[in-house]
Amino acid sequence: VVLVRARTEADLDECEELARVVHERDGYPVFLPGDVRAFLSTRAAIAAFVAELSGRVVGHVALHSGAPGGVVAIASRATGLGPAELGVVARLLVSPESRGRGVGRSLLKAAATHAVSRGLRPMLDVHSTLERAVGLYESCGWVRVGAVTVHFRAGSIDEFVYVAPQGLYPQAP
Ligand SMILES: CC(C)(COP(=O)(O)OP(=O)(O)OC[C@H]1O[C@@H](n2cnc3c(N)ncnc32)[C@H](O)[C@@H]1OP(=O)(O)O)[C@@H](O)C(=O)NCCC(=O)NCCS
């Protein structure tokens, strides 16, 4: 059974290793910075969660208060909500050997539910070539609201922008 819990300082080594493995295998993140820890814990981070299977960290997700390159503006236009009312699900990673068992879905739910608990509408951006991730978001009921090319110092990435419809992740009673 997968356990999703808040990420702690003690998880960061395992999470860094996970980011390296997923980068090599899937090309996400497209540009892995030298400082992987800073990539996992940016200043925009509101919260982060890990998934555990048999005591091992097999997945990671974060919730951010913003995102680079105009993706928030797209979600803002689509929802009529201000940027401060949106929570960006980011840094979703599942270990290759633990895929297809609902770990990604559980992590997505944890981050999105946390956003809703803070009064934020969950949104996210995803590289258009990451088919598993796109499949996950669509099978969970997220809606694609736009596409954009985001420019980083290291190069450009074509992305889709998704929003969770209101009520998809209900507020806890
Ligand atoms: C995307 C990712 C997080 C999915 O993790 P996962 O634990 O395998 O996902 P789940 O098992 O929860 O799958 C949930 C749903 O996603 C969809 N999905 C999963 N794998 C898929 C695939 N190969 N093709 C299409 N859809 C897929 C399915 O609809 C699946 O539901 P189902 O099992 O009921 O059919 C994982 O593949 C990953 O880490 N990929 C590389 C990093 C990445 O792309 N991160 C996202 C960056 S925005």
Side-chain angles (χ1 to χ4, degrees), residues 18 22-23 25-29 58-60 89-96 98-108 124-127 129-140 159:
L18 184 62
V22 173
H23 169 69
R25 156 117 183 194
D26 304 283
Y28 174 81
V58 297
H60 175 275
V89 177
R91 312 308 192 235
L92 177 62
L93 307 159
V94 173
S95 150
S98 303
R99 291 185 186 163
R101 300 200 214 170
V103 175
R105 189 188 295 268
S106 301
L107 284 164
L108 181 63
L124 61 82
D125 54 298
V126 54
H127 314 330
T129 54
L130 294 174
E131 287 171 19
R132 283 163 187 269
V134 166
L136 166 64
Y137 305 142
E138 296 196 346
S139 87
C140 289
E159 298 200 328

Side-chain angles (χ1 to χ4, degrees), residues 11-29:
D11 297 317
L12 281 170
D13 284 343
E14 272 176 292
C15 292
E16 269 193 46
E17 185 51 30
L18 184 62
R20 288 205 177 83
V21 168
V22 173
H23 169 69
E24 284 288 308
R25 156 117 183 194
D26 304 283
Y28 174 81

